[in-house]
């Protein structure tokens, strides 16, 4: 079975559109998302355009603030403080990567954690790992929702995550632990990745290595979620060898059309959740 991320994301956007309409009639206000884009990184420009378009489609007010590559860190931090204090802004997202002269950590920590739609602020990271209410990073949340579509009960399942990034691998651990999975996290220094994967009921591949996961690494009936987006001479491919793995997996996400659309839908979800938090206080 091929997991249709586009379809699941469209369903989620439909639900969010209804929620935004309800919120509008309750609070006479709609959620607002402000995205900050620094520089001219081509993939970032595409992501930001897609985020803005999708937000508007569900009725979220979205705004993109663009700065040149050489913007001073202070200017960026002051803008974040201004957005923190703006009641029309429910969610703030600073698109990564940032230029080297800007301290990513400072940028994230300047943000009001209640407006942190990415879930990158240490307060949200800590709350997620303690099992408390938090913003959850969009890509792992998207992966999690796709897995839950296939399998409601994940009790005791062995999940193997490939890649230990703050954006995906680490928050993914928490989401799966909460579902009572046994979680293995692997990375570039893992001794025998193939052996680790061969024991998995669920594989989440997020390392940026084209077609790394092969058919004979995967147990029959496993669920395979491919977060990779790698540009190759033969086009966009994931971290999983789709042709091989789709023959053994119970369910697999394609690239494109799997995790990607879910990431944006989850960002909209997080914006709505941040709005609700600011309205209820
Ligand atoms: N760049 C690539 N993915 C992301 C993401 O999820 N959030 C932000 N802020 N930047 C990114």
């Amino acid at each position: 079975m091929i997991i249709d991320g586009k379809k699941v994301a469209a369903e989620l956007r439909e639900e969010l559109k209804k929620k935004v309409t309800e919120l509008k009639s309750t609070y006479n206000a709609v959620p607002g998302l402000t995205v900050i884009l620094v520089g001219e990184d081509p993939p970032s420009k595409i992501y930001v355009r897609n985020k803005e378009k999708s937000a508007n489609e569900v009725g979220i007010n979205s705004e993109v603030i663009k700065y040149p590559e050489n913007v001073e860190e202070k200017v960026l931090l002051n803008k974040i403080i201004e957005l923190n204090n703006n009641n029309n802004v429910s969610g703030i997202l600073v698109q990564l990567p940032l230029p080297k002269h800007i301290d990513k950590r400072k940028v994230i920590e300047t943000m009001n954690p209640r407006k942190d739609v990415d879930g990158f602020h240490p307060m949200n990271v800590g709350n997620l790992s303690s099992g408390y209410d938090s913003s959850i990073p969009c890509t792992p949340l998207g992966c999690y929702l796709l897995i839950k579509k296939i399998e409601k009960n994940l009790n005791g399942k062995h999940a193997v995550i490939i890649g230990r990034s703050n954006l995906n691998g680490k928050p993914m651990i928490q989401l799966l632990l909460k579902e009572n999975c046994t979680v293995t996290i692997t990375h570039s220094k893992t001794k025998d990745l193939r052996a680790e994967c061969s024991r998995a009921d669920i594989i989440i591949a997020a390392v940026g290595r084209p077609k790394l996961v092969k058919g004979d690494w995967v147990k029959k009936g496993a669920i395979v979620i491919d977060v990779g987006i790698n540009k190759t001479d033969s086009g966009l491919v994931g971290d999983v060898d789709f042709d091989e793995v789709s023959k053994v997996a119970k369910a697999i996400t394609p690239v494109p059309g799997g995790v990607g659309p879910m990431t944006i839908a989850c960002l909209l979800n997080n914006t709505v959740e941040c709005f609700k938090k600011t309205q209820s206080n």
Side-chain angles (χ1 to χ4, degrees), residues 3-277:
I3 305 171
D4 189 346
K6 268 195 206 164
K7 181 163 166 263
V8 182
E11 288 164 6
L12 180 53
R13 286 199 305 273
E14 255 334 286
E15 279 173 37
L16 291 168
K17 204 171 172 174
K18 282 188 202 134
K19 264 192 203 163
V20 170
T21 310
E22 284 167 21
L23 290 169
K24 194 174 176 178
S25 65
T26 310
Y27 297 108
N28 200 25
V30 293
L33 172 66
T34 298
V35 177
I36 297 179
L37 175 64
V38 180
E40 302 290 332
D41 177 48
S44 290
K45 282 162 95 171
I46 298 171
Y47 292 144
V48 167
R49 203 176 315 134
N50 289 339
K51 286 170 183 175
E52 185 183 23
K53 183 169 156 270
S54 303
N56 287 328
E57 277 168 11
V58 303
I60 292 172
N61 265 339
S62 75
E63 174 195 27
V64 177
I65 301 175
K66 292 180 183 159
Y67 289 109
E69 185 81 16
N70 62 357
V71 65
E72 271 186 64
E73 184 183 89
K74 195 172 57 185
V75 172
L76 198 56
L77 298 180
N78 283 337
K79 176 53 80 176
I80 294 171
I81 293 166
E82 182 192 314
L83 296 170
N84 284 344
N85 295 321
N86 181 342
N87 287 337
N88 295 323
V89 175
S90 342
I92 307 168
L93 182 146
V94 180
Q95 184 66 27
L96 303 177
L98 286 167
K100 288 204 171 54
H101 68 280
I102 294 175
D103 183 346
K104 181 175 80 175
R105 181 172 174 186
K106 254 193 213 164
V107 166
I108 292 170
E109 291 184 6
T110 300
M111 218 178 276
N112 177 348
R114 292 154 68 91
K115 294 193 177 190
D116 166 31
V117 281
D118 266 323
F120 293 166
H121 190 287
M123 178 97 89
N124 284 315
V125 176
N127 279 338
L128 178 63
S129 78
S130 300
Y132 301 137
D133 185 36
S134 71
S135 267
I136 300 169
C138 306
T139 303
L141 178 58
C143 294
Y144 167 81
L145 293 175
L146 290 178
I147 295 166
K148 288 286 281 185
K149 274 269 165 192
I150 304 300
E151 195 90 46
K152 287 248 156 8
N153 184 355
L154 302 180
N155 265 345
K157 299 277 183 205
H158 186 188
V160 172
I161 301 167
I162 311 173
R164 55 177 152 179
S165 70
N166 290 338
L167 249 72
N168 196 72
K170 286 182 198 158
M172 200 72 236
I173 301 173
Q174 305 302 342
L175 295 174
L176 293 168
L177 267 183
K178 215 171 172 181
E179 291 290 324
N180 303 317
C181 288
T182 301
V183 183
T184 300
I185 181 117
T186 67
H187 45 76
S188 54
K189 302 289 186 290
T190 294
K191 287 257 161 49
D192 190 347
L193 187 56
R194 176 186 169 154
E196 300 296 343
C197 286
S198 67
R199 285 191 286 273
D201 301 306
I202 301 166
I203 295 175
I204 296 115
V207 269
R209 301 257 308 270
K211 298 192 183 183
L212 172 72
V213 179
K214 300 294 179 196
D216 60 2
W217 292 25
V218 177
K219 193 160 82 176
K220 201 167 171 12
I223 297 173
V224 180
I225 306 292
D226 191 350
V227 184
I229 305 176
N230 307 293
K231 256 192 197 158
T232 68
D233 294 340
S234 50
L236 275 191
V237 299
D239 291 348
V240 175
D241 189 323
F242 183 87
D243 291 339
E244 287 187 20
V245 175
S246 57
K247 293 191 178 82
V248 281
K250 173 164 97 177
I252 179 169
T253 58
V255 175
V259 174
M262 287 302 287
T263 298
I264 296 194
C266 289
L267 168 67
L268 308 179
N269 175 75
N270 287 357
T271 307
V272 169
E273 291 303 312
C274 286
F275 174 81
K276 288 200 272 188
K277 276 180 216 158

